[in-house]
PDB file of all heavy atoms in Angstrom:
ATOM      1  N   ALA A   1      45.021 -36.296-159.999  1.00  0.00           N
ATOM      2  CA  ALA A   1      44.054 -35.874-158.959  1.00  0.00           C
ATOM      3  C   ALA A   1      42.749 -36.409-159.051  1.00  0.00           C
ATOM      4  O   ALA A   1      42.085 -36.923-158.183  1.00  0.00           O
ATOM      5  CB  ALA A   1      43.988 -34.289-159.065  1.00  0.00           C
ATOM      6  N   GLU A   2      42.298 -36.644-160.336  1.00  0.00           N
ATOM      7  CA  GLU A   2      40.821 -37.189-160.636  1.00  0.00           C
ATOM      8  C   GLU A   2      40.951 -38.670-160.160  1.00  0.00           C
ATOM      9  O   GLU A   2      39.958 -39.151-159.760  1.00  0.00           O
ATOM     10  CB  GLU A   2      40.610 -37.096-162.162  1.00  0.00           C
ATOM     11  CG  GLU A   2      40.286 -35.740-162.606  1.00  0.00           C
ATOM     12  CD  GLU A   2      40.046 -35.528-164.056  1.00  0.00           C
ATOM     13  OE1 GLU A   2      40.029 -36.642-164.651  1.00  0.00           O
ATOM     14  OE2 GLU A   2      39.810 -34.335-164.527  1.00  0.00           O
ATOM     15  N   MET A   3      42.108 -39.382-160.450  1.00  0.00           N
ATOM     16  CA  MET A   3      42.176 -40.824-160.073  1.00  0.00           C
ATOM     17  C   MET A   3      42.211 -40.939-158.665  1.00  0.00           C
ATOM     18  O   MET A   3      41.536 -41.865-158.020  1.00  0.00           O
ATOM     19  CB  MET A   3      43.505 -41.311-160.770  1.00  0.00           C
ATOM     20  CG  MET A   3      43.699 -42.828-160.490  1.00  0.00           C
ATOM     21  SD  MET A   3      45.140 -43.394-161.437  1.00  0.00           S
ATOM     22  CE  MET A   3      46.475 -42.578-160.550  1.00  0.00           C
ATOM     23  N   TYR A   4      42.815 -39.947-157.873  1.00  0.00           N
ATOM     24  CA  TYR A   4      42.854 -40.115-156.471  1.00  0.00           C
ATOM     25  C   TYR A   4      41.801 -39.800-155.683  1.00  0.00           C
ATOM     26  O   TYR A   4      41.488 -39.902-154.463  1.00  0.00           O
ATOM     27  CB  TYR A   4      44.142 -39.322-155.902  1.00  0.00           C
ATOM     28  CG  TYR A   4      45.422 -39.892-156.366  1.00  0.00           C
ATOM     29  CD1 TYR A   4      46.511 -39.014-156.722  1.00  0.00           C
ATOM     30  CD2 TYR A   4      45.702 -41.314-156.622  1.00  0.00           C
ATOM     31  CE1 TYR A   4      47.719 -39.430-157.143  1.00  0.00           C
ATOM     32  CE2 TYR A   4      46.866 -41.712-157.085  1.00  0.00           C
ATOM     33  CZ  TYR A   4      47.865 -40.797-157.342  1.00  0.00           C
ATOM     34  OH  TYR A   4      49.177 -41.390-157.792  1.00  0.00           O
ATOM     35  N   GLN A   5      40.826 -39.000-156.372  1.00  0.00           N
ATOM     36  CA  GLN A   5      39.552 -38.530-155.656  1.00  0.00           C
ATOM     37  C   GLN A   5      38.671 -39.739-155.308  1.00  0.00           C
ATOM     38  O   GLN A   5      38.064 -39.544-154.285  1.00  0.00           O
ATOM     39  CB  GLN A   5      38.768 -37.585-156.622  1.00  0.00           C
ATOM     40  CG  GLN A   5      39.319 -36.044-156.631  1.00  0.00           C
ATOM     41  CD  GLN A   5      38.538 -35.267-157.706  1.00  0.00           C
ATOM     42  OE1 GLN A   5      37.663 -35.724-158.435  1.00  0.00           O
ATOM     43  NE2 GLN A   5      38.825 -33.995-157.528  1.00  0.00           N
ATOM     44  N   SER A   6      38.591 -40.689-156.106  1.00  0.00           N
ATOM     45  CA  SER A   6      37.873 -41.853-155.717  1.00  0.00           C
ATOM     46  C   SER A   6      38.259 -42.700-154.555  1.00  0.00           C
ATOM     47  O   SER A   6      37.773 -43.522-154.027  1.00  0.00           O
ATOM     48  CB  SER A   6      37.694 -42.771-156.991  1.00  0.00           C
ATOM     49  OG  SER A   6      38.973 -43.243-157.430  1.00  0.00           O
ATOM     50  N   ASN A   7      39.658 -42.364-154.288  1.00  0.00           N
ATOM     51  CA  ASN A   7      40.343 -43.125-153.205  1.00  0.00           C
ATOM     52  C   ASN A   7      40.325 -42.278-151.887  1.00  0.00           C
ATOM     53  O   ASN A   7      40.682 -41.141-151.878  1.00  0.00           O
ATOM     54  CB  ASN A   7      41.763 -43.415-153.603  1.00  0.00           C
ATOM     55  CG  ASN A   7      42.471 -44.421-152.705  1.00  0.00           C
ATOM     56  OD1 ASN A   7      41.892 -44.901-151.717  1.00  0.00           O
ATOM     57  ND2 ASN A   7      43.737 -44.603-152.738  1.00  0.00           N
ATOM     58  N   ASN A   8      39.618 -42.877-150.969  1.00  0.00           N
ATOM     59  CA  ASN A   8      39.509 -42.109-149.587  1.00  0.00           C
ATOM     60  C   ASN A   8      40.751 -42.066-148.594  1.00  0.00           C
ATOM     61  O   ASN A   8      40.650 -41.454-147.652  1.00  0.00           O
ATOM     62  CB  ASN A   8      38.321 -42.589-148.883  1.00  0.00           C
ATOM     63  CG  ASN A   8      36.958 -42.326-149.570  1.00  0.00           C
ATOM     64  OD1 ASN A   8      36.941 -41.374-150.230  1.00  0.00           O
ATOM     65  ND2 ASN A   8      36.056 -43.386-149.480  1.00  0.00           N
ATOM     66  N   SER A   9      41.738 -42.909-149.140  1.00  0.00           N
ATOM     67  CA  SER A   9      42.943 -42.998-148.205  1.00  0.00           C
ATOM     68  C   SER A   9      43.794 -41.756-148.208  1.00  0.00           C
ATOM     69  O   SER A   9      43.643 -40.919-149.207  1.00  0.00           O
ATOM     70  CB  SER A   9      43.913 -44.140-148.687  1.00  0.00           C
ATOM     71  OG  SER A   9      44.217 -43.808-150.095  1.00  0.00           O
ATOM     72  N   GLU A  10      44.424 -41.448-147.167  1.00  0.00           N
ATOM     73  CA  GLU A  10      45.188 -40.184-147.032  1.00  0.00           C
ATOM     74  C   GLU A  10      46.366 -40.074-148.010  1.00  0.00           C
ATOM     75  O   GLU A  10      47.117 -41.194-148.018  1.00  0.00           O
ATOM     76  CB  GLU A  10      45.675 -40.072-145.559  1.00  0.00           C
ATOM     77  CG  GLU A  10      46.268 -38.702-145.284  1.00  0.00           C
ATOM     78  CD  GLU A  10      46.662 -38.526-143.896  1.00  0.00           C
ATOM     79  OE1 GLU A  10      46.371 -39.379-143.077  1.00  0.00           O
ATOM     80  OE2 GLU A  10      47.376 -37.453-143.582  1.00  0.00           O
ATOM     81  N   LEU A  11      46.521 -39.070-148.728  1.00  0.00           N
ATOM     82  CA  LEU A  11      47.572 -38.896-149.652  1.00  0.00           C
ATOM     83  C   LEU A  11      48.780 -38.372-148.996  1.00  0.00           C
ATOM     84  O   LEU A  11      48.806 -37.720-147.870  1.00  0.00           O
ATOM     85  CB  LEU A  11      47.255 -37.888-150.734  1.00  0.00           C
ATOM     86  CG  LEU A  11      46.054 -38.239-151.716  1.00  0.00           C
ATOM     87  CD1 LEU A  11      45.744 -37.136-152.522  1.00  0.00           C
ATOM     88  CD2 LEU A  11      46.411 -39.480-152.546  1.00  0.00           C
ATOM     89  N   PRO A  12      50.035 -38.862-149.457  1.00  0.00           N
ATOM     90  CA  PRO A  12      51.333 -38.380-148.931  1.00  0.00           C
ATOM     91  C   PRO A  12      51.490 -36.854-148.982  1.00  0.00           C
ATOM     92  O   PRO A  12      50.804 -36.202-149.789  1.00  0.00           O
ATOM     93  CB  PRO A  12      52.402 -39.048-149.750  1.00  0.00           C
ATOM     94  CG  PRO A  12      51.735 -40.149-150.418  1.00  0.00           C
ATOM     95  CD  PRO A  12      50.311 -39.803-150.643  1.00  0.00           C
ATOM     96  N   THR A  13      52.345 -36.303-148.143  1.00  0.00           N
ATOM     97  CA  THR A  13      52.398 -34.942-148.022  1.00  0.00           C
ATOM     98  C   THR A  13      52.898 -34.211-149.293  1.00  0.00           C
ATOM     99  O   THR A  13      52.380 -33.206-149.745  1.00  0.00           O
ATOM    100  CB  THR A  13      53.350 -34.378-146.860  1.00  0.00           C
ATOM    101  OG1 THR A  13      52.957 -34.935-145.596  1.00  0.00           O
ATOM    102  CG2 THR A  13      53.555 -32.962-146.701  1.00  0.00           C
ATOM    103  N   LEU A  14      53.895 -34.803-149.893  1.00  0.00           N
ATOM    104  CA  LEU A  14      54.413 -34.361-151.243  1.00  0.00           C
ATOM    105  C   LEU A  14      53.279 -34.353-152.312  1.00  0.00           C
ATOM    106  O   LEU A  14      53.181 -33.302-153.070  1.00  0.00           O
ATOM    107  CB  LEU A  14      55.668 -35.254-151.770  1.00  0.00           C
ATOM    108  CG  LEU A  14      56.298 -34.914-153.070  1.00  0.00           C
ATOM    109  CD1 LEU A  14      56.782 -33.403-152.977  1.00  0.00           C
ATOM    110  CD2 LEU A  14      57.283 -35.830-153.333  1.00  0.00           C
ATOM    111  N   THR A  15      52.469 -35.290-152.305  1.00  0.00           N
ATOM    112  CA  THR A  15      51.334 -35.430-153.287  1.00  0.00           C
ATOM    113  C   THR A  15      50.384 -34.308-153.199  1.00  0.00           C
ATOM    114  O   THR A  15      49.902 -33.714-154.096  1.00  0.00           O
ATOM    115  CB  THR A  15      50.664 -36.676-153.194  1.00  0.00           C
ATOM    116  OG1 THR A  15      51.701 -37.872-153.404  1.00  0.00           O
ATOM    117  CG2 THR A  15      49.725 -36.942-154.379  1.00  0.00           C
ATOM    118  N   ARG A  16      50.007 -34.035-151.875  1.00  0.00           N
ATOM    119  CA  ARG A  16      49.109 -33.069-151.512  1.00  0.00           C
ATOM    120  C   ARG A  16      49.588 -31.730-151.922  1.00  0.00           C
ATOM    121  O   ARG A  16      48.810 -30.815-152.399  1.00  0.00           O
ATOM    122  CB  ARG A  16      48.701 -32.973-150.060  1.00  0.00           C
ATOM    123  CG  ARG A  16      47.924 -34.168-149.466  1.00  0.00           C
ATOM    124  CD  ARG A  16      47.203 -33.978-148.299  1.00  0.00           C
ATOM    125  NE  ARG A  16      48.032 -33.487-147.170  1.00  0.00           N
ATOM    126  CZ  ARG A  16      48.791 -34.447-146.347  1.00  0.00           C
ATOM    127  NH1 ARG A  16      48.650 -35.700-146.414  1.00  0.00           N
ATOM    128  NH2 ARG A  16      49.594 -33.771-145.442  1.00  0.00           N
ATOM    129  N   VAL A  17      51.012 -31.456-151.619  1.00  0.00           N
ATOM    130  CA  VAL A  17      51.554 -30.148-152.037  1.00  0.00           C
ATOM    131  C   VAL A  17      51.517 -29.917-153.574  1.00  0.00           C
ATOM    132  O   VAL A  17      51.196 -28.854-154.005  1.00  0.00           O
ATOM    133  CB  VAL A  17      53.063 -30.180-151.641  1.00  0.00           C
ATOM    134  CG1 VAL A  17      53.624 -28.918-152.108  1.00  0.00           C
ATOM    135  CG2 VAL A  17      53.079 -29.959-150.000  1.00  0.00           C
ATOM    136  N   LEU A  18      51.851 -30.960-154.309  1.00  0.00           N
ATOM    137  CA  LEU A  18      51.897 -30.906-155.711  1.00  0.00           C
ATOM    138  C   LEU A  18      50.259 -30.645-156.360  1.00  0.00           C
ATOM    139  O   LEU A  18      50.190 -29.999-157.214  1.00  0.00           O
ATOM    140  CB  LEU A  18      52.392 -32.173-156.307  1.00  0.00           C
ATOM    141  CG  LEU A  18      53.873 -32.304-156.226  1.00  0.00           C
ATOM    142  CD1 LEU A  18      54.264 -33.761-156.823  1.00  0.00           C
ATOM    143  CD2 LEU A  18      54.610 -31.233-157.063  1.00  0.00           C
ATOM    144  N   LEU A  19      49.368 -31.320-155.629  1.00  0.00           N
ATOM    145  CA  LEU A  19      48.022 -31.176-156.145  1.00  0.00           C
ATOM    146  C   LEU A  19      47.512 -29.645-155.822  1.00  0.00           C
ATOM    147  O   LEU A  19      46.805 -29.113-156.521  1.00  0.00           O
ATOM    148  CB  LEU A  19      47.000 -32.076-155.402  1.00  0.00           C
ATOM    149  CG  LEU A  19      47.295 -33.533-155.856  1.00  0.00           C
ATOM    150  CD1 LEU A  19      46.380 -34.418-154.965  1.00  0.00           C
ATOM    151  CD2 LEU A  19      46.892 -33.791-157.391  1.00  0.00           C
ATOM    152  N   ALA A  20      47.964 -29.220-154.727  1.00  0.00           N
ATOM    153  CA  ALA A  20      47.533 -27.906-154.363  1.00  0.00           C
ATOM    154  C   ALA A  20      48.193 -26.820-155.242  1.00  0.00           C
ATOM    155  O   ALA A  20      47.486 -25.834-155.754  1.00  0.00           O
ATOM    156  CB  ALA A  20      47.985 -27.591-152.923  1.00  0.00           C
ATOM    157  N   MET A  21      49.510 -27.052-155.651  1.00  0.00           N
ATOM    158  CA  MET A  21      50.114 -26.090-156.494  1.00  0.00           C
ATOM    159  C   MET A  21      49.567 -26.241-157.885  1.00  0.00           C
ATOM    160  O   MET A  21      49.403 -25.109-158.575  1.00  0.00           O
ATOM    161  CB  MET A  21      51.603 -26.537-156.747  1.00  0.00           C
ATOM    162  CG  MET A  21      52.524 -26.267-155.479  1.00  0.00           C
ATOM    163  SD  MET A  21      54.172 -26.863-155.770  1.00  0.00           S
ATOM    164  CE  MET A  21      54.752 -26.050-157.175  1.00  0.00           C
ATOM    165  N   SER A  22      49.141 -27.456-158.372  1.00  0.00           N
ATOM    166  CA  SER A  22      48.448 -27.564-159.580  1.00  0.00           C
ATOM    167  C   SER A  22      47.062 -26.787-159.578  1.00  0.00           C
ATOM    168  O   SER A  22      46.867 -26.174-160.656  1.00  0.00           O
ATOM    169  CB  SER A  22      48.274 -29.066-159.972  1.00  0.00           C
ATOM    170  OG  SER A  22      47.551 -29.221-161.164  1.00  0.00           O
ATOM    171  N   ASN A  23      46.337 -26.945-158.660  1.00  0.00           N
ATOM    172  CA  ASN A  23      44.966 -26.211-158.519  1.00  0.00           C
ATOM    173  C   ASN A  23      45.220 -24.703-158.593  1.00  0.00           C
ATOM    174  O   ASN A  23      44.451 -24.047-159.230  1.00  0.00           O
ATOM    175  CB  ASN A  23      44.312 -26.667-157.285  1.00  0.00           C
ATOM    176  CG  ASN A  23      43.744 -28.148-157.314  1.00  0.00           C
ATOM    177  OD1 ASN A  23      43.488 -28.680-158.458  1.00  0.00           O
ATOM    178  ND2 ASN A  23      43.657 -28.865-156.208  1.00  0.00           N
ATOM    179  N   PHE A  24      46.185 -24.334-157.736  1.00  0.00           N
ATOM    180  CA  PHE A  24      46.434 -22.767-157.722  1.00  0.00           C
ATOM    181  C   PHE A  24      46.877 -22.211-159.010  1.00  0.00           C
ATOM    182  O   PHE A  24      46.472 -21.243-159.499  1.00  0.00           O
ATOM    183  CB  PHE A  24      47.643 -22.503-156.582  1.00  0.00           C
ATOM    184  CG  PHE A  24      48.044 -21.079-156.614  1.00  0.00           C
ATOM    185  CD1 PHE A  24      47.178 -20.242-155.873  1.00  0.00           C
ATOM    186  CD2 PHE A  24      49.106 -20.655-157.215  1.00  0.00           C
ATOM    187  CE1 PHE A  24      47.456 -18.934-155.843  1.00  0.00           C
ATOM    188  CE2 PHE A  24      49.536 -19.347-157.129  1.00  0.00           C
ATOM    189  CZ  PHE A  24      48.668 -18.412-156.457  1.00  0.00           C
ATOM    190  N   LEU A  25      47.757 -23.027-159.738  1.00  0.00           N
ATOM    191  CA  LEU A  25      48.226 -22.600-161.105  1.00  0.00           C
ATOM    192  C   LEU A  25      47.000 -22.606-162.173  1.00  0.00           C
ATOM    193  O   LEU A  25      46.906 -21.693-162.957  1.00  0.00           O
ATOM    194  CB  LEU A  25      49.297 -23.396-161.619  1.00  0.00           C
ATOM    195  CG  LEU A  25      50.746 -23.226-160.971  1.00  0.00           C
ATOM    196  CD1 LEU A  25      51.612 -24.405-161.408  1.00  0.00           C
ATOM    197  CD2 LEU A  25      51.363 -21.928-161.456  1.00  0.00           C
TER     198      LEU A  25
END
């Protein structure tokens, strides 16, 4: 997630779901 924050490109749906789950946990 830290590595992708510097990248402004849109992330795939699966990646966004996993990042949201990680933040929630």
Side-chain angles (χ1 to χ4, degrees):
E2 291 175 4
M3 183 175 67
Y4 295 145
Q5 278 179 353
S6 58
N7 189 0
N8 295 324
S9 60
E10 187 179 354
L11 296 173
T13 305
L14 180 60
T15 307
R16 293 202 306 271
V17 170
L18 288 172
L19 292 175
M21 287 175 63
S22 176
N23 288 332
F24 177 76
L25 283 171

